[in-house]
Amino acid sequence: MKLRTRLTAWYAGVFLIAGVALIGLNYWLLERFAPVDAGIAVSRAIPTTELGEVYPTYSDFTAVEAAQLPGDTLVVSGAEAKAEVMSTVLWGSVIALLVAAVFAVWLGWVVAGRVLEPLHSITSTAHRLEAERLDQRIELDGPPDELKELADTFDGMLDRLASSFDSQKRFVANASHELRTPLAVQRTLIEVAVGAPDATEDMRRLGAHLLDTNERSEKLIDGLLLLARSDRGLATRELVWLDEVVEDEVESCRALASEKKVTFEVRTRRYLVDGDPVLLAQLVGNLLRNALLYNKPGGTVTVELDQELIVSNTGPTVPAQAVPGLFEPFRRLRDRTGTAGSGLGLSIVQSVTRAHQGSAKARPNGGGGLVVQVNLPETGVRQAS
């Protein structure tokens, strides 16, 4: 049961309890303090007596006086008249209470909605929040009551969270920049040592291994920098033809596809996006390289761009329960391939997609492999390729 319904029930219940108590109090006061007459003269027609046209309604009668009344005049005792009046008052009050109860339920529903309106604002703001979008605030107007205090506390918490996330992203970006310099120096020293005339075969093998490790570290740092940049959102925007980005990235991956003995199947249409061309190129490139690296010899990579961008491959089987974790940083399925990636490919895809107000999801491909679907808001009129 929703809170508004419960509040309405409470309001109506309290009203009914108060109404019953009021009726009971009135009934008790009427019975306790109302005077009891000795009799009431009731006539079916106004009689002509020595009193003229004056007809007595309430009077104290004695037995002799009652006997002298005209024949069509009845005398009702005061106790009976009082009981009749009290019964009439009681039933009238009950009927009035029922009518007022219906009105109280409606009024309680309206009042409960007004009272809970600030909570709806808080809930809708919380639904719009994400780690990458902490710019939403409630900013509730109104008197300084408990709900206003709750909304202000919620806004203050969001300010602290936004500051904390920004600080974390700046730290990742700064640390990545600082690490690139010593890695570049190490690569240079290794290349010089391996290229020396007196370098032994063991030294060259060790140098090749160190260069490979150094290259992996540089790629990891570049991925962290790109992830930190996309997490901060888009500083500038421009119109980008996504189909042209797809074609360029497919061409840049031809050599890797030939090395892995994987073929491309590409179907696109004209698709205009408002965003960052560098980040969009990185998004498409990551999808294509992942589809190539986590594939099998003789496999295919299918790229479709229509309502959304879909990249699928024919690699080893991917467990459905493992798919959501692939979008987390440094998460990879080691049993899918012998290629050791940085584990940031799909994390960057998701981060860039969110920066463009889009969404990314994945599912296992029937027969093996993975299907990644990226939905980016399209700008302009759809054009056929």
Side-chain angles (χ1 to χ4, degrees):
M1 183 183 294
K2 292 185 177 181
L3 181 58
R4 186 177 184 181
T5 304
R6 293 202 300 269
L7 286 177
T8 302
W10 274 104
Y11 294 155
V14 170
F15 174 82
L16 286 174
I17 292 174
V20 170
L22 181 61
I23 291 176
L25 178 62
N26 288 337
Y27 192 85
W28 180 79
L29 291 174
L30 183 62
E31 183 181 19
R32 178 70 177 81
F33 297 104
V36 180
D37 295 333
I40 299 178
V42 181
S43 177
R44 297 181 181 87
I46 300 178
T48 303
T49 65
E50 61 274 10
L51 297 178
E53 297 298 326
V54 179
Y55 177 70
T57 56
Y58 286 87
S59 58
D60 294 332
F61 293 103
T62 64
V64 177
E65 291 173 333
Q68 295 176 353
L69 288 174
D72 59 351
T73 302
L74 302 177
V75 178
V76 180
S77 67
E80 293 177 353
K82 180 178 179 180
E84 184 69 23
V85 170
M86 292 182 64
S87 176
T88 303
V89 170
L90 177 61
W91 283 108
S93 300
V94 170
I95 294 174
L97 178 62
L98 293 178
V99 174
V102 175
F103 177 75
V105 171
W106 173 80
L107 186 61
W109 179 263
V110 174
V111 172
R114 294 292 300 273
V115 171
L116 295 177
E117 186 175 353
L119 292 181
H120 294 318
S121 300
I122 296 174
T123 303
S124 61
T125 302
H127 285 163
R128 293 193 300 269
L129 289 174
E130 296 178 359
E132 293 78 15
R133 297 184 59 191
L134 294 175
D135 57 336
Q136 302 290 325
R137 296 296 183 272
I138 301 173
E139 298 178 351
L140 182 66
D141 296 329
D145 54 10
E146 289 81 358
L147 290 176
K148 181 69 164 59
E149 182 179 359
L150 175 62
D152 292 343
T153 303
F154 194 80
D155 287 342
M157 180 190 67
L158 292 177
D159 291 336
R160 293 189 295 272
L161 283 176
S163 177
S164 177
F165 274 102
D166 289 340
S167 177
Q168 182 184 27
K169 293 171 185 176
R170 285 195 301 270
F171 170 79
V172 172
N174 294 335
S176 300
H177 275 297
E178 292 297 324
L179 289 173
R180 295 182 71 178
T181 300
L183 284 175
V185 173
Q186 290 177 14
R187 184 179 69 251
T188 302
L189 293 176
I190 294 171
E191 290 174 349
V192 170
V194 172
D198 56 346
T200 64
E201 190 65 26
D202 291 339
M203 182 178 294
R204 289 190 174 91
R205 283 198 299 270
L206 177 61
H209 178 71
L210 292 175
L211 284 175
D212 182 65
T213 303
N214 186 274
E215 182 181 1
R216 293 176 186 275
S217 299
E218 288 181 338
K219 289 181 179 179
L220 176 60
I221 290 174
D222 290 340
L224 288 173
L225 281 171
L226 183 62
L227 189 61
R229 175 186 172 186
S230 60
D231 281 346
R232 287 196 299 267
L234 303 181
T236 58
R237 289 176 176 269
E238 62 180 88
L239 296 179
V240 180
W241 289 106
L242 189 60
D243 56 299
E244 296 180 0
V245 174
V246 171
E247 294 172 1
D248 292 342
E249 291 300 319
V250 167
E251 288 301 321
S252 66
C253 292
R254 291 288 183 185
L256 180 60
S258 178
E259 178 186 343
K260 296 292 182 180
K261 299 179 181 179
V262 176
T263 58
F264 278 113
E265 295 180 0
V266 182
R267 295 184 293 273
T268 64
R269 65 155 177 100
R270 299 295 279 171
Y271 198 104
L272 188 62
V273 177
D274 184 20
D276 188 318
V278 176
L279 291 180
L280 290 173
Q282 189 68 44
L283 180 151
V284 177
N286 279 12
L287 288 175
L288 297 180
R289 282 186 286 274
N290 275 4
L292 291 172
L293 292 175
Y294 302 138
N295 213 317
K296 58 185 179 181
T300 59
V301 173
T302 304
V303 183
E304 300 179 26
L305 178 61
D306 191 4
Q307 299 298 328
E308 57 186 356
L309 175 62
I310 303 176
V311 178
S312 58
N313 68 347
T314 55
T317 302
V318 181
Q321 63 272 16
V323 171
L326 297 178
F327 287 98
E328 299 178 10
F330 308 111
R331 292 288 296 274
R332 58 178 78 87
L333 293 179
R334 296 185 180 275
D335 57 340
R336 289 174 57 199
T337 178
T339 304
S342 64
L344 292 175
L346 290 182
S347 300
I348 293 174
V349 168
Q350 187 176 61
S351 179
V352 173
T353 303
R354 287 178 175 175
H356 289 80
Q357 285 78 49
S359 61
K361 58 183 179 180
R363 57 179 172 83
N365 195 9
L370 191 69
V371 178
V372 182
Q373 300 170 260
V374 176
N375 193 325
L376 295 172
E378 185 177 8
T379 302
V381 181
R382 175 172 177 168
Q383 301 181 28
S385 58

